[in-house]
Amino acid sequence: MKTDRSAPAENNRERIIAAATRLLAEEGREAVSTRAVSAAAGVQAPTIYRLFGDKQGLLDAVAAHGFASHLARKSALDPTDDPVEDLRAGWDLNTEFGLANPSLYTLMYAEPRPGGPPPAAVAALKVLAAHVRRIAEAGRLRIDETRATHLIHAVGGGITLALIATPEDRRDMSVSHLAREAVIAAITTDATATTAPGPAGAAAALRAFLPQVDVLTDGERGLLAELLDRISAAG
């Protein structure tokens, strides 16, 4: 009879992530050592290395777990017919999450590491890109999707990190609201479903639907994408 070893391993993984997350929240990044985590989780240190590879792997798992929890909260917000208004709601929710979980948010978005951003930050960027695509499909995007996504990500994350670094009694939340509206004004048009969005918005909208077009060759699709990007950038 075969023994299922995956369940105990998964239990250990969950306990270790929970312990590391608790230490991070209560005592900060420096408290998350393999010795402290193994003691808090009730496992031997080699178990951490076996499951996560190294300390950075553990921190990545903690960040991914935190992002999954954050995404679950965002998923509870049903999309409306106005993707720009949904962007406002998502921006505010991101700020609230960062202020409620400062050490975790900093780990996700500001922790220096070799080889690029943490996997959780990459996943967050993909979610944001999907939302920006909804704005493009509605004919409301003023610039190309990639630039819009990176602008929202950079400004929204930067504002949240700045607020985290500011003592709570001195935080001015209007700064986040002003930044949010400035970014929205920079990347979207005032066009509605009954108003033509103009050349740049129309180009961005068509660019958003281009992956669904199957009557073009790869070369034709690439050329059209380049032309549409130029039109949307000129707007």
Side-chain angles (χ1 to χ4, degrees), residues 93-180:
L93 191 61
N94 177 74
T95 303
E96 292 169 8
F97 173 76
L99 295 180
N101 305 274
S103 295
L104 177 60
Y105 194 90
T106 302
L107 175 64
M108 289 172 61
Y109 293 107
E111 179 74 20
R113 54 168 289 143
V122 175
L125 197 62
K126 289 181 179 179
V127 172
L128 178 58
H131 190 98
V132 170
R133 172 148 295 186
R134 285 187 60 224
I135 298 175
E137 290 173 350
R140 297 285 306 277
L141 199 61
R142 186 187 300 275
I143 63 178
D144 66 85
E145 292 178 49
T146 299
R147 286 196 298 163
T149 300
H150 285 289
L151 179 61
I152 298 167
H153 185 261
V155 178
I159 288 291
T160 301
L161 289 169
L163 288 170
I164 288 172
T166 303
E168 190 170 355
D169 61 345
R170 292 169 51 194
R171 285 176 187 161
D172 182 0
M173 294 305 298
S174 69
V175 173
S176 178
H177 300 154
L178 288 169
R180 181 193 67 196

Side-chain angles (χ1 to χ4, degrees), residues 141-143 148 151 179-189 235:
L141 199 61
R142 186 187 300 275
I143 63 178
L151 179 61
R180 181 193 67 196
E181 294 309 307
V183 169
I184 288 175
I187 69 171
T188 67
T189 70

Side-chain angles (χ1 to χ4, degrees), residues 16-82:
I16 292 168
I17 292 176
T21 300
R22 187 168 59 252
L23 285 169
L24 181 68
E26 295 175 354
E27 302 180 42
R29 165 71 172 74
E30 296 305 316
V32 187
S33 65
T34 52
R35 176 178 296 181
V37 172
S38 61
V43 300
Q44 297 296 317
T47 303
I48 295 178
Y49 293 109
R50 184 171 68 252
L51 292 174
F52 301 97
D54 56 16
K55 182 179 177 179
Q56 186 62 62
L58 172 59
L59 291 172
D60 286 345
V62 169
H65 177 76
F67 173 68
S69 300
H70 177 44
L71 184 59
R73 288 184 60 204
K74 293 185 72 172
S75 299
L77 299 176
D78 293 329
T80 69
D81 293 333
D82 187 344

